[in-house]
Amino acid sequence: MGWFRVADHLLDPIIETLRPIPPLAWIPFAIIWFGLTTQAAGFVIFAGAFFPILTATYAAFRDVRRSSSRRARCSGATPRLS
């Protein structure tokens, strides 16, 4: 989302809709979807950690200056995603 504007425009409404839901509110859904298993607990932990990590990473990508990117390329960094 930080690199690709199209992905940002497509995924941002979904993320911003799901982000305010507290992790405890996902517990009933986790029990319905996974039953009382460790997968349900893992899903709730994932839901609680995913959105803060995503928003922090997105903000960090958006705050990188163009001059820093140019300096990195001059030092040998490549823009490829491989």
Side-chain angles (χ1 to χ4, degrees), residues 32-80:
I32 291 169
W33 292 332
F34 300 107
L36 291 173
T37 62
T38 56
Q39 286 87 5
F43 173 77
V44 172
I45 292 169
F46 171 79
F50 176 74
F51 294 109
I53 292 170
L54 178 72
T55 55
T57 305
Y58 177 75
F61 267 98
R62 302 300 288 170
D63 288 343
V64 172
R65 294 186 201 153
R66 294 261 184 223
S67 60
S68 298
S69 176
R70 287 188 201 122
R71 276 187 239 135
R73 277 193 221 131
C74 289
S75 297
T78 59
R80 295 184 305 182

Side-chain angles (χ1 to χ4, degrees), residues 3-4 61 78-82:
W3 281 341
F4 303 109
F61 267 98
T78 59
R80 295 184 305 182
L81 296 173
S82 60

